[in-house]
Amino acid sequence: MGCTRREFLALASAGTVAGLAGCVPSRQTPQTPSDDTSSPDPSVDLSEFESLALDASAWRYDEDNDVYYQLGLTYCLSPATDTYESLAVFVPGAYFSAEKNGDTYTCTVNDKAVVGAFTAATAPVLMPINTGSLAAQSSPTSYAFDGLGPYMDAGCVYVYAGFRGRSAGYDTASGSDELFPGGSPWPVVDLKAAVRYLRYNASRLPCDASRVFVFGFGGGGGASAVLGASGDSELFEPYLTSIGAITHDAEGATVSDAIAGSASWCPVTSFDTADAAYEWCQGQYATDGTRAEGSWTRLLSQDLAAAYGAWVNEMDLRDADDAQLTLDETETGVYAQGSYADALLDCVNEAATTFVQGTAFPYAYTPQRLEDPTFPGDPNLAATREADVASSTPASEAPADGTGEAPATGDATAQEDASKTLAGVAQVQSTIYDSAQSYFAALNADSWWINYNHRSMSVTVSSLRDFVTRMRPAAQPASPFDLPDRSSRVNQLFGIGEESTLHFDAIAAGLIDANLDTYAACADWPAEEEVAWQEDLEKVDALETDMATRVSLMNPLFWLSGHYDGYGQASVAPHWRINEGLFDTDAPLCTAANIVFALRKYDGVASVSHTPVWGQGHVLAERSGSATSNLISWVTSCCSA
């Protein structure tokens, strides 16, 4: 039987959960790690993970900056690769009392220390996911203080964990010639193992190990959301067991991998619907390239957009007033209007209004796109990324040229060619606008679609279609995450071993099967596509996990929405921060919003901060201030609450 989340919770509160076996699995009350009251299992080997105990006599010390650190801490018993499955820990010096022994220090926790808003007993742990495309993140092999200052000054413990990325690979640093597995769900598996390692060693670290906050950008932001949604999910256990991840502490109590908070910028995730979402948000309005009239991929784009509309209507996503968000189907099968589209448009209007109220004119607009973040912790990061870029990258995988930039027309007073790359941020053109009136006049140069009320300083957009076609056009090809030639980075994420890229999108596969004759009638139809999707979807990984499950394991909504079987089957993080650039052409407009819609109705979630940012694209989008300072302030406020 089918039921909505609202119906499920109503039945659960009436004590009728037992009758819902055919709807969704029995719901567990979301718990934070500190709520874990599981009793020790007398049958476990209490010494099983002794080799992973942190050595209190192996700390090194940066005297100039008052930081203790350890590098190369392997966080599981059977790592597939030491280069990636290890971590580094950085601790504010005041939290330790230390005794020098040669080149290292023996440290004990200083219970009286206070740094920023925290003590050694209350300090949170911050873990970056330092990749925008889910490339593998190697564990630091050397130390540098650069960038760590704000975290240390705030009293945070900073943990930089390595993890395997979107593809299988070779550990060249250790001289191994054996291929280690990568792709879904290994990046999340490794990070979960790292969280468990920290909990196992909590007594040796000056922190509150229940306060683990993970943050990332792009694909890393998507992984952060998965970590936040999937705490202690049993689906990851076979993978965690295979690498010898910690399961219990020295007293036999279960060790959790649930986290306290997830922060992300422009998250790329929810790959079961990512292609359909992109085509609904942006692709269905494009008429060139792979969406040109007469091409089979144009037909696929339109069908994916319609499939997304049907998916929304099945999801039971709800607004702040608990009204279900839906889309209305037109006579032509297009889902373009409805309360769901209105809710997205409300986000756009609010962001545009906040922008104009907080912007000092003249205003210089510079479209930007970030490939990878540069969170601190690994001084060798630049060299690692150069090596990653040097490896073969299909042309279709390269970043799209489109940046959703505002028109450089109208009353703009100056233009400056700023084609350059600074710290991984591509900047293509700057345009200066004298006033808010000149800015909005430029946006309306071709036709009137955005309204600015000077007296109230408020902004409204006529329709979602008008917004995306002008400010967030489809810059990626049709079906951008699961490309027909399997050349995207997400195709890599779902590859298996030597088969480095595979199809994974069941919606696209179903559409090809249902519309084969229509697609095949197009002149550009590749005959091999008739079976390519279905054949790939039938493949299993080394642990015999099927493709549908691997896709679910990289989808935070799998645990957050009653539409999915994972709902209620994990400990969901109580604190969330999701920022997105509204001019981001890399991801669907609705990815972040869907997570937020689900979180705001999920029991046990204490706070959800969602900030869409007008005028910014695929970057660490913030309305003001820096990403680092705002992140730390958010973590501090969550801990204070």
Side-chain angles (χ1 to χ4, degrees):
M1 96 181 166
C3 68
T4 67
R5 180 198 296 108
R6 190 179 190 183
E7 291 166 341
F8 178 87
L9 293 177
L11 288 167
S13 65
T16 57
V17 176
L20 293 176
C23 173
V24 291
S26 299
R27 190 177 189 280
Q28 300 172 353
T29 300
Q31 295 181 339
T32 60
S34 59
D35 293 327
D36 188 5
T37 58
S38 57
S39 301
D41 183 346
S43 67
V44 302
D45 178 2
L46 300 182
S47 63
E48 182 177 2
F49 301 108
E50 280 184 351
S51 62
L52 297 179
L54 189 147
D55 185 353
S57 67
W59 290 97
R60 295 186 177 274
Y61 183 51
D62 173 3
E63 185 174 2
D64 291 338
N65 298 294
D66 194 22
V67 177
Y68 289 95
Y69 63 93
Q70 288 201 40
L71 309 176
L73 300 172
T74 302
Y75 52 67
C76 54
L77 292 177
S78 305
T81 159
D82 291 329
T83 298
Y84 297 102
E85 291 174 293
S86 57
L87 56 80
V89 181
F90 306 91
V91 177
Y95 286 153
F96 277 142
S97 297
E99 181 178 336
K100 187 173 176 59
N101 41 266
D103 293 334
T104 61
Y105 291 79
T106 299
C107 294
T108 57
V109 175
N110 177 9
D111 294 329
K112 297 180 180 180
V114 176
V115 182
F118 302 107
T119 67
T122 64
V125 177
L126 270 65
M127 289 181 58
I129 302 178
N130 210 0
T131 170
S133 59
L134 282 182
Q137 177 168 297
S138 59
S139 181
T141 56
S142 59
Y143 168 80
F145 181 71
D146 295 346
L148 293 174
Y151 303 94
M152 298 296 100
D153 292 343
C156 304
V157 172
Y158 192 85
V159 175
Y160 194 104
F163 57 85
R164 287 167 288 174
R166 63 179 182 265
S167 298
Y170 296 91
D171 193 345
T172 55
S174 62
S176 173
D177 59 358
E178 292 188 11
L179 187 73
F180 63 76
S184 174
W186 290 113
V188 174
V189 171
D190 288 348
L191 288 164
K192 283 178 173 285
V195 172
R196 293 186 181 190
Y197 174 89
L198 297 172
R199 297 253 164 75
Y200 182 81
N201 287 291
S203 64
R204 301 172 180 87
L205 291 169
C207 66
D208 180 346
S210 71
R211 291 177 167 180
V212 176
F213 292 81
V214 179
F215 58 99
F217 161 79
S224 174
V226 172
L227 285 162
S230 67
D232 302 324
S233 169
E234 292 184 0
L235 289 178
F236 288 97
E237 286 304 323
Y239 294 92
L240 289 161
T241 299
S242 73
I243 63 173
I246 291 167
T247 58
H248 58 269
D249 63 19
E251 282 73 46
T254 300
V255 175
S256 170
D257 56 54
I259 64 174
S262 168
S264 58
W265 293 268
C266 299
V268 177
T269 186
S270 300
F271 297 113
D272 63 328
T273 58
D275 289 302
Y278 195 91
E279 299 308 324
W280 179 81
C281 289
Q282 290 127 287
Q284 67 174 320
Y285 306 122
T287 57
D288 58 356
T290 56
R291 300 179 184 87
E293 192 68 42
S295 65
W296 83 272
T297 44
R298 174 176 175 80
L299 298 178
L300 177 63
S301 169
Q302 294 172 327
D303 290 340
L304 282 168
Y308 184 75
W311 177 85
V312 167
N313 290 341
E314 295 174 357
M315 274 295 292
D316 192 36
L317 297 171
R318 293 183 174 271
D319 64 16
D321 297 323
D322 202 36
Q324 184 175 359
L325 300 174
T326 60
L327 287 168
D328 302 327
E329 183 179 8
T330 65
E331 293 181 357
T332 58
V334 175
Y335 294 81
Q337 296 179 333
S339 58
Y340 179 81
D342 292 342
L344 294 177
L345 192 59
D346 286 344
C347 292
V348 172
N349 289 336
E350 186 273 334
T353 296
T354 300
F355 161 79
V356 76
Q357 290 177 352
T359 299
F361 286 85
Y363 162 65
Y365 172 67
T366 305
Q368 297 182 331
R369 182 189 182 280
L370 178 64
E371 178 70 9
D372 281 309
T374 53
F375 304 128
D378 184 3
N380 300 316
L381 184 63
T384 301
R385 286 188 173 154
E386 287 176 4
D388 185 57
V389 172
S391 62
S392 59
T393 301
S396 59
E397 181 185 321
D401 291 333
T403 56
E405 60 182 276
T409 57
D411 296 327
T413 59
Q415 294 185 22
E416 177 185 358
D417 184 8
S419 298
K420 55 188 175 181
T421 299
L422 296 173
V425 181
Q427 303 183 12
V428 297
Q429 186 182 57
S430 292
T431 306
I432 300 175
Y433 298 92
D434 269 342
S435 63
Q437 289 89 337
S438 68
Y439 175 71
F440 289 105
L443 297 184
N444 285 319
D446 295 331
S447 62
W448 198 274
W449 65 276
I450 187 166
N451 299 289
Y452 167 58
N453 186 313
H454 177 66
R455 177 174 297 177
S456 64
M457 295 189 71
S458 61
V459 180
T460 56
V461 173
S462 57
S463 71
L464 205 58
R465 174 175 183 165
D466 285 333
F467 168 72
V468 299
T469 55
R470 290 166 172 82
M471 312 309 295
R472 194 177 177 134
Q476 306 290 356
S479 188
F481 301 99
D482 193 348
L483 287 168
D485 64 359
R486 304 184 183 92
S487 64
S488 81
R489 287 169 172 167
V490 185
N491 286 127
Q492 291 179 22
L493 180 64
F494 293 103
I496 300 172
E498 296 288 356
E499 290 187 286
S500 60
T501 66
L502 291 173
H503 287 303
F504 61 87
D505 189 335
I507 295 177
L511 291 172
I512 290 172
D513 183 61
N515 302 296
L516 181 60
D517 291 343
T518 303
Y519 293 173
C522 297
D524 63 341
W525 168 254
E528 63 271 15
E529 297 303 327
E530 180 176 345
V531 295
W533 253 275
Q534 290 294 349
E535 288 181 347
D536 285 0
L537 291 177
E538 294 171 359
K539 295 179 179 178
V540 298
D541 68 8
L543 273 68
E544 299 298 316
T545 304
D546 59 43
M547 186 66 76
T549 302
R550 293 178 64 217
V551 171
S552 294
L553 290 173
M554 297 300 292
N555 178 15
L557 292 178
F558 182 74
W559 294 275
L560 298 176
S561 168
H563 176 80
Y564 296 97
D565 289 344
Y567 180 67
Q569 303 302 305
S571 294
V572 175
H575 302 290
W576 293 75
R577 183 180 196 267
I578 302 175
N579 281 33
E580 58 176 326
L582 283 181
F583 296 0
D584 178 4
T585 59
D586 285 52
L589 174 63
C590 50
T591 298
N594 286 344
I595 299 172
V596 172
F597 292 149
L599 283 170
R600 286 179 174 165
K601 295 301 174 182
Y602 196 93
D603 289 355
V605 173
S607 63
V608 183
S609 170
H610 177 218
T611 307
V613 184
W614 183 272
Q616 295 190 26
H618 197 64
V619 295
L620 298 177
E622 299 286 343
R623 289 182 176 176
S624 62
S626 72
T628 297
S629 62
N630 291 344
L631 172 71
I632 293 171
S633 295
W634 171 73
V635 169
T636 302
S637 68
C638 292
C639 294
S640 299

